[in-house]
Amino acid sequence: MDYLDELESKSIYIIREAYVQFRKIAVLWSIGKDSTTLLWLVRKAFYDQIPFPVMHIDTSFKFKEIYEYRDSKAKEWGLKLLIARNEAALADGMGPKKSKLDCCTELKTNALKMAIDKHKFKALLLGIRRDEHGIRAKERVFSPRNQDFEWDYKNQPPELWDQYKSRQSDEDHIRVHPMLHWTELDIWEYVRREKIPIVPLYFAKNGMRLRSIGCETCCNPVESQADTTDKIVEELKTTHTAERAGRAQDKESAYIMQKLRSLGYM
Amino acid sequence: MGEHLRFVIVGHVDHGKSTLIGRLFYDTDSLPEEKLEEIRKTCEELGRDIEFGFVMDHLEEERTQGITIDTAQTFFKTAKRHYVIIDAPGHKEFIKNMVTGASQAEAALLIVDANEGVQEQTKRHAYILGMLGLDQVIVVLNKMDQVEYSQKRFEEVKKDILTFLTSLGITPTFVIPICAKDGDNVAKRSTNMPWYKGLTVLEGLDTFKILEPDLMKPLRFPIQDVYKIKDKRILVGRVEAGRVHQGDSIVFLPQGTKSTVKSVEILWSDRTEAGAGECIGITLADPLFIERGSVGCPADDKPVVTSSIKANVFWMSKRPYVAGDDIHLRLATQEMPVNITVEKKINSSTLEDISEKPDEVRETEVAQMMIQMKQPIVVDDFNRIQELGRFVLVRDLDVVAGGIITHTQH
């Protein structure tokens, strides 16, 4: 086994463990590189017959490439696609012109909350990684959220030898993070090896590319000439810029990511 | 791609774990400029000098109070290879977070303040390292600047910690005098301690081995789940030890049913074998009823099937164990209710016998337990196949303790 095989195997173990523990689960697919890699691993874990839905939290402010890619791959891969939107907040005019904290909370966190209520999911698979953000570095593989969706980050369950927290009655759901141990570079090396199709926004055009993708309104491209997977791998080996440097919602104040996450943000 | 070594930094509160991590990042040029800038800004807002500990201490409470609450993991690299650093909190009240971090490491740095010397959590953390079976350990004696870089003081504290570690059966590979704040003997040799001729921390880490799954051991394949894919019944799981090939005879314990491996199932692959560490599926030549928890193994080298074990158990829940609690045991993919008899208890820091109240086991206490199952369990000697020699205890769906089997049957 080489290093990528190890990362893959560890993720597949967690994915299968989430399904056997909870059965009623879904995988979140933002269409970015991480969750698309997660989806690839989920396909591998279940022999390309994913026994649960693939959920896209749609803020309606995503890039058009995201929607095109989503619909074409969902069809090609035979996914049970669920699209979750907070229609009430959108009708009220919620959008990125309001505060970032409110917009992310309404259109992402609350949209997710409503979808979980509706479908009664006991656990969700998410493609977050420890190296993305200092707060995410603190996460557990199985991370409980209470009914109000809050993350009790000061009192997380112990986790050892791949034995994870099960659900308790007063907890709304468990966030399962099968890719915590991957880095941004690992993702791209795996994408290259597996030839995973990735949405074109990551590849440089006119000297700019996106390194981390969210809503069109809150993502800034970085300068880059990397227009192929090979070039992205090379770029990441030498870069000194943080991956989420272009993500506006992380920047409003020092602990906004912690606040967003304690309220249930991904 | 290169190798990755996972190591944990442990030690008493304020002995400098987070500072050492920050220094390792800084000296290996692994900090993104933006992160350094963010730390600089936060420190300015808090009105203090730049604090390298903030590389890992990211929670608001951690930064304002200057403590580490939870374990975190991050990455850096040397010329030789990549590293995953696992930070572990030093406060006794966050011990479960320390165990969570340490259980994922293959090497450890135990940090001791040269001025304060060996303290309560120094010993407790060392005990946990020993219990987890970590044998690649570096001891660093930090804050040498506060003892005027004294070789005499270094030798004193070194003697103390070595005496304690020896009593636990741990032999550290290196003992290194450092000053994490200024970087002495971390990545660069210190000019303040010319009497020290050994390796720097980074050089020491570079000598450690990455633990590889052992393919030479007998097969252990605990069934994780069973999938019906088209007309196939696929038994999925992770090969915990050894190898499995198409055509192998295989026995499932505890039932003892036998069959032959008809195929190895890996999506988009035509491989017919797999080894330790791989998550795979297999199909069998016979239509056996096998469920999660069964362990596949070779007929001539089977694990132990027993209904009672003895174990050392480290209690991690704030709520003590009380005789009569409803406890489940989870070992690999097996789970079952158990009855517990506490035979002895020790303080995991002082190692004193505290058996006078055996009906209760409190957080951070270690109990020697006799554990009885109502149904048979499949186990191995921890020293031979760790994956089947360790377990967790669960109460009300919370993991409350970790245990290492000391006797597979009595």
Side-chain angles (χ1 to χ4, degrees):
Chain A
M1 283 175 95
D2 68 13
Y3 181 64
L4 290 179
D5 294 331
E6 267 173 50
L7 295 175
E8 176 190 77
S9 179
K10 197 167 176 183
S11 299
I12 289 177
Y13 189 85
I14 296 163
I15 291 163
R16 287 174 170 170
E17 201 61 16
Y19 181 60
V20 76
Q21 294 285 345
F22 304 109
R23 296 297 187 209
K24 189 90 184 130
I25 68 173
V27 53
L28 285 196
W29 187 32
S30 73
I31 335 291
K33 65 187 190 309
D34 301 309
S35 64
T36 301
T37 302
L38 174 60
L39 186 54
W40 192 263
L41 292 163
V42 171
R43 292 174 71 202
K44 284 199 171 191
F46 299 102
Y47 301 93
D48 212 13
Q49 312 266 311
I50 307 175
F52 46 79
V54 175
M55 182 153 69
H56 180 221
I57 309 289
D58 180 14
T59 60
S60 84
F61 294 100
K62 303 283 175 184
F63 295 86
K64 79 172 185 337
E65 289 87 341
I66 294 278
Y67 296 108
E68 288 166 8
Y69 178 93
R70 178 191 73 188
D71 295 339
S72 97
K73 293 301 166 202
K75 201 170 153 203
E76 186 185 332
W77 294 340
L79 308 177
K80 281 174 244 169
L81 184 66
L82 263 181
I83 295 167
R85 284 163 62 114
N86 186 346
E87 298 290 359
L90 285 169
D92 274 354
M94 180 47 74
K97 293 197 175 107
K98 314 259 169 135
S99 94
K100 306 271 184 247
L101 182 66
D102 290 346
C103 186
C104 276
T105 301
E106 281 301 326
L107 299 186
K108 290 184 176 175
T109 312
N110 288 344
L112 176 62
K113 222 179 247 189
M114 289 186 270
I116 290 174
D117 272 352
K118 185 171 163 199
H119 299 282
K120 305 276 179 279
F121 292 124
K122 293 180 182 167
L124 293 173
L125 300 172
L126 276 79
I128 67 164
R129 307 187 331 266
R130 288 197 180 99
D131 80 322
E132 278 178 273
H133 194 282
I135 290 297
R136 287 180 174 174
K138 300 272 180 190
E139 267 288 5
R140 293 288 194 269
V141 176
F142 276 43
S143 181
R145 295 295 186 277
N146 71 10
Q147 273 170 341
D148 299 321
F149 241 55
E150 289 157 347
W151 177 37
D152 186 2
Y153 53 80
K154 282 185 277 186
N155 186 28
Q156 299 202 72
E159 219 164 57
L160 58 165
W161 308 324
D162 301 323
Q163 301 290 354
Y164 304 113
K165 174 92 175 80
S166 303
R167 184 170 177 253
Q168 258 178 317
S169 52
D170 61 346
E171 282 154 6
D172 196 272
H173 68 283
I174 303 255
R175 299 277 178 89
V176 179
H177 304 129
M179 303 187 64
L180 272 187
H181 55 293
W182 294 60
T183 64
E184 185 185 14
L185 179 59
D186 297 334
I187 294 280
W188 283 107
E189 293 196 338
Y190 188 72
V191 162
R192 175 165 71 175
R193 183 181 90 170
E194 301 282 311
K195 302 189 174 61
I196 304 174
I198 292 292
V199 72
L201 297 164
Y202 285 101
F203 300 96
K205 248 192 231 164
N206 306 323
M208 303 294 268
R209 76 176 191 92
L210 289 169
R211 255 179 92 185
S212 175
I213 294 183
C215 293
E216 185 164 16
T217 43
C218 293
C219 277
N220 295 310
V222 293
E223 281 180 31
S224 169
Q225 300 298 331
D227 55 0
T228 64
T229 311
D230 280 333
K231 288 185 194 167
I232 290 177
V233 167
E234 285 316 306
E235 177 188 280
L236 293 178
K237 284 182 177 166
T238 51
T239 184
H240 262 254
T241 315
E243 178 180 6
R244 294 178 66 92
R247 297 295 289 271
Q249 71 266 41
D250 301 11
K251 308 288 174 320
E252 268 192 344
S253 75
Y255 300 108
I256 186 164
M257 193 66 172
Q258 179 176 349
K259 284 189 192 102
L260 275 168
R261 287 189 56 78
S262 72
L263 294 171
Y265 181 79
M266 286 67 81
Chain B
M1 202 159 309
E3 317 169 84
H4 285 64
L5 182 99
R6 308 166 59 78
F7 73 94
V8 64
I9 302 195
V10 299
H12 195 75
V13 180
D14 285 340
H15 283 198
K17 292 180 291 298
S18 300
T19 309
L20 175 57
I21 292 171
R23 177 49 73 177
L24 285 168
F25 273 99
Y26 191 73
D27 286 355
T28 54
D29 204 18
S30 305
L31 264 188
E33 275 151 32
E34 188 180 76
K35 187 142 185 172
L36 195 59
E37 196 44 49
E38 181 257 346
I39 292 169
R40 214 170 259 147
K41 207 174 123 196
T42 309
C43 290
E44 227 166 71
E45 282 168 19
L46 292 170
R48 57 165 99 160
D49 292 340
I50 185 144
E51 174 59 74
F52 282 125
F54 284 5
V55 172
M56 301 296 264
D57 293 339
H58 236 282
L59 299 172
E60 185 169 5
E61 294 80 350
E62 292 181 320
R63 289 185 171 183
T64 50
Q65 295 170 38
I67 58 169
T68 304
I69 292 174
D70 209 336
T71 180
Q73 296 189 16
T74 187
F75 305 81
F76 79 96
K77 60 183 178 191
T78 64
K80 184 177 176 194
R81 65 179 164 210
H82 293 258
Y83 285 93
V84 178
I85 303 188
I86 304 169
D87 183 20
H91 288 76
K92 187 178 172 185
E93 60 187 291
F94 305 129
I95 197 79
K96 66 178 166 35
N97 299 336
M98 180 272 166
V99 176
T100 296
S103 73
Q104 298 170 47
E106 47 206 336
L109 284 183
L110 175 62
I111 191 164
V112 185
D113 183 323
N115 195 17
E116 280 191 19
V118 173
Q119 298 290 315
E120 183 188 351
Q121 303 320 314
T122 316
K123 292 182 177 181
R124 180 165 285 118
H125 286 186
Y127 182 88
I128 291 167
L129 297 181
M131 184 174 139
L132 293 171
L134 273 170
D135 54 9
Q136 305 191 96
V137 178
I138 295 178
V139 174
V140 291
L141 300 190
N142 189 26
K143 307 191 190 179
M144 287 300 293
D145 57 322
Q146 294 183 15
V147 295
E148 288 149 6
Y149 307 103
S150 152
Q151 182 175 11
K152 184 165 163 284
R153 180 62 187 157
F154 171 73
E155 296 296 344
E156 276 167 16
V157 182
K158 179 177 170 179
K159 186 162 165 263
D160 285 353
I161 186 71
L162 287 182
T163 306
F164 186 75
L165 291 177
T166 304
S167 72
L168 299 173
I170 298 174
T171 312
T173 317
F174 309 104
V175 182
I176 307 175
I178 68 165
C179 173
K181 181 168 63 71
D182 302 329
D184 295 64
N185 289 334
V186 177
K188 293 184 290 273
R189 192 155 294 279
S190 168
T191 50
N192 293 312
M193 291 172 273
W195 48 266
Y196 175 73
K197 309 288 182 205
L199 301 182
T200 63
V201 174
L202 276 185
E203 288 167 345
L205 284 170
D206 276 347
T207 69
F208 281 161
K209 287 191 185 67
I210 291 174
L211 304 180
E212 303 278 353
D214 196 340
L215 300 171
M216 302 309 287
K217 287 178 180 165
L219 173 69
R220 295 292 182 261
F221 183 57
I223 303 305
Q224 192 178 8
D225 204 349
V226 180
Y227 300 158
K228 182 97 177 63
I229 304 288
K230 292 173 187 151
D231 55 346
K232 285 182 187 163
R233 212 175 123 77
I234 304 180
L235 308 179
V236 303
R238 181 169 56 205
V239 182
E240 298 291 4
R243 306 188 67 87
V244 60
H245 306 81
Q246 185 178 311
D248 281 356
S249 298
I250 190 166
V251 180
F252 289 94
L253 295 176
Q255 303 86 345
T257 44
K258 291 180 188 162
S259 189
T260 304
V261 177
K262 187 178 168 191
S263 63
V264 170
E265 300 286 338
I266 302 168
L267 186 66
W268 302 321
S269 159
D270 48 15
R271 284 173 51 196
T272 55
E273 51 69 49
E278 294 190 81
C279 278
I280 59 157
I282 61 171
T283 63
L284 300 177
D286 308 283
L288 298 179
F289 181 71
I290 306 283
E291 283 183 293
R292 175 178 168 92
S294 284
V295 180
C297 60
D300 60 355
D301 200 342
K302 291 188 280 199
V304 175
V305 177
T306 177
S307 58
S308 72
I309 53 171
K310 283 191 181 188
N312 281 333
V313 174
F314 185 87
W315 197 260
M316 289 185 285
S317 172
K318 299 242 176 287
R319 203 178 110 207
Y321 164 77
V322 181
D325 274 358
D326 190 4
I327 304 276
H328 281 233
L329 177 146
R330 287 192 197 159
L331 188 156
T333 60
Q334 306 175 84
E335 176 165 0
M336 59 194 70
V338 293
N339 282 324
I340 289 170
T341 313
V342 176
E343 298 188 326
K344 189 184 169 189
K345 278 194 324 180
I346 62 163
N347 175 311
S348 60
S349 176
T350 62
L351 308 185
E352 285 166 314
D353 189 326
I354 45 168
S355 303
E356 67 282 1
K357 277 185 74 186
D359 288 347
E360 195 177 275
V361 184
R362 295 170 173 278
E363 189 181 22
T364 78
E365 290 177 355
V366 172
Q368 286 176 22
M369 291 180 176
M370 157 81 85
I371 301 176
Q372 286 167 306
M373 274 66 62
K374 294 182 184 95
Q375 61 200 83
I377 188 171
V378 183
V379 301
D380 272 298
D381 185 329
F382 178 76
N383 294 316
R384 185 169 184 228
I385 299 177
Q386 286 199 358
E387 290 75 8
L388 269 81
R390 63 196 184 192
F391 59 86
V392 297
L393 297 180
V394 176
R395 181 182 59 197
D396 300 337
L397 301 176
D398 283 321
V399 172
V400 288
I404 302 291
I405 298 175
T406 53
H407 297 83
T408 52
Q409 49 199 354
H410 66 104

